[in-house]
Amino acid sequence: MDARIWVSAGGAAPWSVPLAGQRTVVGRSPDADLTLEDDAVSWNHLEIERRGEVLMATDLDSRNGTALNGEPLDRPRRLRDGDTLIVGGHRLEISGGGPVPVAATIAAGEPGVALTEEERATAAALVAPYRTEGAFAGRPATRAEIAAELHVSERTAQRRLDALAAKLEVSGGAGRDRPRQIAARVIELGLDRR
């Protein structure tokens, strides 16, 4: 298994690091296997461990937490090809090796879902709590927070969220978990980034 992590932050060109050893530590420490210069990243923030052909991610009790596909990484979790970890202001995408299909990673080019500027602004407002420095990445923005950020009514914010959900193929039957599912897809595809 020739697994890699594709790292992107702040609109800079993505770069990759092979997951060659049994254990890869991500953090701000110069001794980390993957050093991220970011005050929101703990000294030793995240561990990715190889167990046979399986990769496991564990947050190392970091100050600001880690998100896996938009959900808090609150226990060791198995990583799959295409999974996205948010560590501080960095997006880490797991690539399992082999040929990389077009749009499979941020390094391959534009995301597979094209958004209008209005949809991109809604997506960015929805995931803003995940991106805020010092945030634990525990929840997406509420409809009221999105409305305030975009200077629109809550009803308009809801219509925009519904349109975004339809474009991302998030079912209407998700109920109260629907905003979290939309946010997970936005982060997974990197749609809140320009």
Side-chain angles (χ1 to χ4, degrees), residues 35-55:
T35 303
L36 301 176
E37 297 293 331
D38 183 341
D39 289 339
V41 175
S42 294
W43 201 248
N44 291 309
H45 195 105
L46 170 72
E47 175 186 74
I48 299 175
E49 181 183 13
R50 182 184 304 275
R51 296 181 188 167
E53 291 295 307
V54 174
L55 294 175

Side-chain angles (χ1 to χ4, degrees), residues 123-143:
L126 177 67
V127 301
Y130 295 110
R131 306 280 195 212
T132 303
E133 187 173 330
F136 176 67
R139 66 164 181 86
T142 65
R143 185 176 54 217

Side-chain angles (χ1 to χ4, degrees), residues 2 40 45 50 67 71 91 113 129 144 153 161-163 180 184 191:
D2 184 25
H45 195 105
R50 182 184 304 275
E71 299 289 328
R91 180 176 188 269
V113 177
S153 70
L161 281 173
D162 291 343
R180 188 178 302 277
L191 298 175

Side-chain angles (χ1 to χ4, degrees), residues 75-141:
R75 64 185 181 348
R77 300 281 302 273
R78 180 180 181 168
L79 295 174
R80 292 177 173 77
D81 190 37
D83 279 350
T84 302
L85 295 155
I86 302 297
V87 177
H90 291 77
R91 180 176 188 269
L92 312 178
E93 185 169 338
I94 304 301
S95 173
V100 177
V102 173
T105 67
I106 194 167
E110 287 297 309
V113 177
L115 298 181
T116 65
E117 283 302 311
E118 185 177 276
E119 291 166 334
R120 189 171 302 279
T122 303
L126 177 67
V127 301
Y130 295 110
R131 306 280 195 212
T132 303
E133 187 173 330
F136 176 67
R139 66 164 181 86

